Amino acid sequence: MARVETGGGGGGERAVQEREPSIWPLWRELKGMFSTASLVPSALVTPGSWGYAGIDFVSGLRRNASTHKTFALLEDVSDADFEALTALAALNARRQDQMFRVVALGYVTIPITLVATWAEIAPEGVAELLRQNTQLAWWTVFIFTFGVLGYFASWWRSRQIVSVLDLVRIERRLSPYTALELRGD
């Protein structure tokens, strides 16, 4: 947050106010266009989703309603604010990637490894536990599955924001801003 100092008349103490940088309201509005809750319905009906066949994956993305809204949102945004927004989206995508890996490891790999190991050591014990706790076992599978799917949806949307900002960058004829962006995934 930027600090704004305001003078206090007689040369006494200066009041310090916190002012939110202009990038945060812009970020909130942008990420609102890519909610995880709308991923499944949009995956069935958007031009971008229907473009996942063939060689051209970007033309459909460019025709998505969320892409059009993003272009409209950023139409009057300065290049400096656009670069800051792009950097924020890239940071968010990297953090989403880290979290998705942790969740996939923690929710999938570790439990499956433990159950598989236990099944090798005492197969009758695993079978008996599942017979006695069938409903709990199904709920556990359900929760872990949808937990991972929820993080996957969030990860997907974070990458989609970066892709749409790349389209904006291309149409503005701006060069990639950092070596990290040039690197790709």
Side-chain angles (χ1 to χ4, degrees):
M1 297 229 160
R3 295 171 58 94
V4 178
E5 294 188 19
T6 57
E13 293 182 23
R14 300 186 122 199
V16 177
Q17 295 176 312
E18 296 292 326
R19 183 175 57 86
E20 182 176 58
S22 62
I23 196 67
W24 291 106
L26 191 58
W27 171 248
R28 281 191 294 276
E29 195 168 346
L30 176 65
K31 69 183 177 96
M33 294 180 213
F34 295 90
S35 74
T36 56
S38 67
L39 178 62
V40 172
S42 73
L44 302 173
V45 297
T46 62
S49 66
W50 290 101
Y52 283 120
I55 193 168
D56 182 6
F57 280 24
V58 294
S59 294
L61 177 65
R62 180 60 177 95
R63 291 191 311 266
N64 283 350
S66 58
T67 303
H68 288 282
K69 290 177 186 174
T70 300
F71 271 81
L73 173 68
L74 301 177
E75 185 174 17
D76 295 327
V77 170
S78 70
D79 286 350
D81 281 348
F82 174 75
E83 295 301 348
L85 183 66
T86 301
L88 188 57
L91 172 62
N92 182 62
R94 288 190 308 273
R95 298 280 296 154
Q96 289 282 347
D97 186 54
Q98 291 167 348
M99 190 63 190
F100 182 61
R101 289 177 190 197
V102 167
V103 167
L105 179 69
Y107 278 24
V108 178
T109 307
I110 293 171
I112 289 175
T113 301
L114 291 174
V115 170
T117 301
W118 185 21
E120 284 293 319
I121 295 168
E124 291 80 24
V126 172
E128 183 63 28
L129 180 70
L130 291 175
R131 273 194 296 277
Q132 291 177 359
N133 299 291
T134 304
Q135 189 174 10
L136 177 62
W138 281 113
W139 274 109
T140 302
V141 168
F142 176 81
I143 289 169
F144 281 135
T145 300
F146 281 94
V148 171
L149 288 175
Y151 277 103
F152 173 78
S154 182
W155 171 81
W156 182 271
R157 283 301 204 190
S158 73
R159 299 303 307 157
Q160 190 175 17
I161 290 171
V162 170
S163 295
V164 170
L165 291 176
D166 282 346
L167 288 174
V168 173
R169 177 182 302 287
I170 290 164
E171 290 191 24
R172 283 188 173 197
R173 294 189 176 30
L174 298 172
S175 298
Y177 189 62
T178 65
L180 183 63
E181 288 177 30
L182 289 169
R183 181 192 72 189
D185 292 326

